[in-house]
Amino acid sequence: MLNIGVLGSGNGSNFQAIVDAAKRGEFEGRVCCAVSDVADAYILERASKAGIPGRHIDCGPSKSKAEGVGAEKIVEYMRGCDVDFVVLAGFMRIVKDPLLSEFSGRMINIHPSLLPAFPGLASWKQALEYGVKVAGCTVHYVDAGMDTGPIVLQRCIPVIDDDTPESLHARIQKAEHVAYPEALNLISSGRVEVAGRKVRIVKD
Ligand code: GRF
């Protein structure tokens, strides 16, 4: 049974998908808190509506990293909520110590591209501009890099000729809302083995 803490900076649609999937029993776990580095992020409102503790934690002056005192505060709060597994859902900072080391091997992220293609921001736009025919999302463990950790699973969607950045992003997000609970199901049922960069899914 995973006790999941979710970290996000924005809308929180993946947070919602995970909360809903947990309620439907799609994986063995529950969401015990949401943390945001953005005070008015909608993810916190979603948490309050779902009756899940939510907290804004100021992560300091660097807008791109969660490090130092900010990272420490997140660790403290997550410990207080008995979190044993962290899910990044639209968290717009690179995770540094002590948060990274505290949850090393116990923290995953979702990225809106088929990594290693198009890491970083607005990946759906990068994909469209590049002219790829297949896009998708990637669930991966979090390491010290940006969107570089071992890949748990990927889901593909076709790019269609008339796609706009908005339409492609919306379809990728739909895929994300299925992929994240799927990954949590694999992890919570003990079927995920990580060896270096390789993640092996053990059969039922
Ligand atoms: C998702 O597209 C995710 O891939 C990326 O940030 C977005 C977060 O969306 N890392 P939401 O806040 O879950 O709606």
Side-chain angles (χ1 to χ4, degrees):
M1 183 84 174
L2 297 178
N3 266 343
I4 297 168
V6 180
L7 265 170
S9 307
N11 177 26
S13 67
N14 279 286
F15 165 82
Q16 192 70 60
I18 291 167
V19 168
D20 294 346
K23 270 193 201 142
R24 293 192 298 266
E26 287 178 20
F27 61 89
E28 292 164 49
R30 64 183 194 104
V31 178
C32 42
C33 66
V35 171
S36 180
D37 57 325
V38 176
D40 60 355
Y42 192 56
I43 187 172
L44 293 177
E45 205 168 316
R46 289 184 191 268
S48 132
K49 280 183 187 155
I52 292 168
R55 169 76 62 92
H56 164 236
I57 294 179
D58 189 346
C59 284
S62 162
K63 290 227 180 316
S64 59
K65 293 177 201 149
E67 58 185 353
V69 178
E72 218 169 290
K73 282 191 209 154
I74 296 175
V75 168
E76 261 172 43
Y77 181 69
M78 294 245 173
R79 276 190 190 146
C81 294
D82 285 330
V83 168
D84 53 29
F85 198 86
V86 174
V87 167
L88 305 187
F91 188 58
M92 300 306 283
R93 292 170 187 255
I94 297 179
V95 174
K96 301 277 185 190
D97 283 345
L99 182 57
L100 183 63
S101 50
E102 174 83 9
F103 291 104
S104 167
R106 297 184 293 139
M107 188 185 310
I108 56 175
N109 180 44
I110 194 159
H111 183 75
S113 79
L114 297 172
L115 289 170
F118 314 126
L121 295 175
S123 314
W124 59 91
K125 227 168 147 186
Q126 296 184 50
L128 207 56
E129 276 162 16
Y130 196 91
V132 295
K133 300 295 185 195
V134 178
C137 62
T138 303
V139 178
H140 64 90
Y141 280 94
V142 176
D143 65 9
M146 187 175 63
D147 306 323
T148 50
I151 292 172
V152 180
L153 61 80
Q154 298 186 295
R155 292 293 171 258
C156 304
I157 57 153
V159 177
I160 53 180
D161 289 344
D162 294 335
D163 260 329
T164 60
E166 293 71 32
S167 66
L168 183 58
H169 187 208
R171 289 209 314 291
I172 292 173
Q173 281 229 302
K174 249 182 144 178
E176 289 183 334
H177 300 159
V178 179
Y180 233 167
E182 252 176 58
L184 286 167
N185 179 35
L186 294 172
I187 291 166
S188 65
S189 57
R191 288 162 60 206
V192 171
E193 287 175 4
V194 187
R197 282 218 54 82
K198 301 268 176 71
V199 174
R200 192 187 155 93
I201 307 297
V202 181
K203 294 225 165 66
D204 266 332

